[in-house]
Amino acid sequence: RDVGTTKPSKANQERFEKAVADVARITHDLVHGLEVHAPPRTRENELMKARARNAKRFGPPSAAKE
């Protein structure tokens, strides 16, 4: 018996499609219903914060050695 199948038998096709649609709808409702109080993140800001943490932990970056 396969677990995690993506193609049901013909006998289960309708039930499978309904379950997939239900999960998609519920997931959409959950994600769009969440309240967010923090400002959106950007890759650039996250990269700057990561570099600052890295510099604090390991010291400032040195020039590349040739």
Side-chain angles (χ1 to χ4, degrees), residues 13-61:
Q13 182 72 36
E14 186 176 334
R15 182 169 289 194
F16 182 85
E17 289 176 1
K18 182 185 180 313
V20 169
D22 288 348
V23 169
R25 180 184 49 79
I26 291 167
T27 302
H28 178 272
D29 291 349
L30 171 64
V31 170
H32 288 25
L34 295 174
E35 292 184 22
V36 179
H37 300 287
R41 294 181 181 181
T42 64
R43 289 178 186 255
E44 293 79 18
N45 284 343
E46 295 302 311
L47 180 60
M48 288 175 23
K49 290 192 294 187
R51 286 183 175 156
R53 286 190 308 269
N54 194 36
K56 183 177 179 181
R57 184 174 180 190
F58 300 110

